[in-house]
Amino acid sequence: MNIITISREFGSGGREVGKRLADALGYTYYDREIEEGVAERMKMDTDYVARSIEQGVPMNVPLHFGRTLAGSYLLKQQVDILVEKQRILKELASSTNCVIVGRAADVILADYRPFKIFVYADLAHRLKRCQAYAEIEENLSPRELEREIKKIDARRAQYRRMYLDADWGVRTQYHLCVNTSGIAVKHIIPMLAGYADSWFQHCKAE
Amino acid sequence: MNIITISREFGSGGREVGKRLADALGYTYYDREIEEGVAERMKMDTDYVARSIEQGVPMNVPLHFGRTLAGSYLLKQQVDILVEKQRILKELASSTNCVIVGRAADVILADYRPFKIFVYADLAHRLKRCQAYAEIEENLSPRELEREIKKIDARRAQYRRMYLDADWGVRTQYHLCVNTSGIAVKHIIPMLAGYADSWFQHCKAE
């Protein structure tokens, strides 16, 4: 199977790249399906699962809390969710050509030799994009929005460090890093599709 | 005019990307022509000019040397070479669609709105490439070769800092960062050409 993973700075249009790229290549696009799958199997609420995955296992949970029954239960539950998430990612990756945005899929699916894209943009363009698409809640001042963007990126970096002893967004971990500042995503899709295609054809087996 | 600049890690195949990309797009490829132009105008030897440009103005020249007549003359000459180089780069950029590899052209030609590519690869592939193409002198052990590669990259980073208060290879300074590890350059050229073309069409005027 051909797997494309997309890591991205918040507000850079990574999700749009993922959707359009999947469309262009006729691949399946996986996003919310991953949390939905976990929620279904574990008989939990999807939003709860998504929040738990996004926040990761809290490394700084106070010891006295971790020692309580409730604390241990919560920690174990979070680990179970992550384990289930990895299982689902691997099942999806084994069953169909697909594009997966975020979720440290590039690391978790390393054995499947994914084509790894990192999408980024300068802050001004990310702010503009967030405002245009109301990706975070509306009515935030530009300053508040900037703070929010940085917070989300920091969380993603932290989440990634859980899986890999390396920083997030370091170019050597990706095959292609794409700056979307000032260009509409739709204009770069044909080239990204061609690039991925060529990579799968000539390079994946290496 | 459409300008494409290519910055690259040593041994990553950046020069080959530049040549092939220029061919694919029907652009002029500039490389040694820049030093030749400077040498001709300043009535100097091309190799001397190339070496002087590569090493940059020595920031750490001892003061007592800088104060001597010979020292002042050498410093002034190096600055003159750099000024002439910038002039030639701008003349070339004004006269024809072109691809320029290295030479901090992305910074020097910022006003011309170049499409900026950074080419990189992991060390193992860079070593392999250097050995295959004998880009540095032959008969170096892998260890010596690795040291040589790192030295050249460090010099490029230093040279870049002369022009721009920023580190070399930082993704935000480029439109596209391309990892050539394990893929033959010829296989990625059609996509790079399409990408650059689309960028000039949709984005340059912004």
Side-chain angles (χ1 to χ4, degrees), chain A residues 83-149:
Chain A
V83 168
E84 195 58 46
K85 185 193 88 163
Q86 297 197 20
R87 196 175 298 147
I88 287 187
L89 274 175
K90 288 179 183 177
E91 284 173 16
L92 297 175
S94 311
S95 64
T96 170
N97 293 335
C98 60
V99 177
I100 302 170
V101 175
R103 294 164 179 83
D106 53 330
V107 185
I108 294 169
L109 300 177
D111 289 347
Y112 295 75
R113 303 261 306 145
F115 181 69
K116 299 180 277 186
I117 300 176
F118 186 81
V119 182
Y120 64 102
D122 56 40
L123 195 58
H125 281 95
R126 292 161 67 196
L127 281 170
K128 214 163 112 187
R129 193 178 170 90
C130 283
Q131 281 161 334
Y133 291 82
E135 290 202 33
I136 315 188
E137 37 174 321
E138 286 164 76
N139 305 324
L140 288 183
S141 73
R143 198 163 196 152
E144 289 167 324
L145 195 55
E146 186 178 329
R147 213 176 301 134
E148 196 58 25
I149 286 179

Side-chain angles (χ1 to χ4, degrees), chain A residues 9 118 120-122 125 128 168-184 187-188 190-196 198-199 202-203 206, chain B residues 9 118 120-122 125 128 168-184 187-188 190-196 198-199 202-203 206:
Chain A
E9 288 183 340
F118 186 81
Y120 64 102
D122 56 40
H125 281 95
K128 214 163 112 187
W168 171 79
V170 170
R171 65 167 183 265
T172 43
Q173 295 174 23
Y174 309 99
H175 296 107
L176 201 62
C177 303
V178 180
N179 188 342
T180 53
S181 306
I183 190 160
H187 294 313
I188 58 175
M191 279 67 70
L192 290 186
Y195 203 106
S198 185
W199 191 87
H202 299 291
C203 201
E206 209 203 51
Chain B
E9 287 183 340
F118 185 81
Y120 64 102
D122 56 40
H125 282 95
K128 214 163 110 186
W168 171 79
V170 171
R171 64 167 184 267
T172 44
Q173 295 173 23
Y174 309 98
H175 296 109
L176 201 62
C177 303
V178 180
N179 188 342
T180 54
S181 306
I183 191 161
H187 294 313
I188 59 176
M191 280 67 71
L192 291 186
Y195 204 107
S198 184
W199 191 87
H202 298 291
C203 201
E206 206 202 51

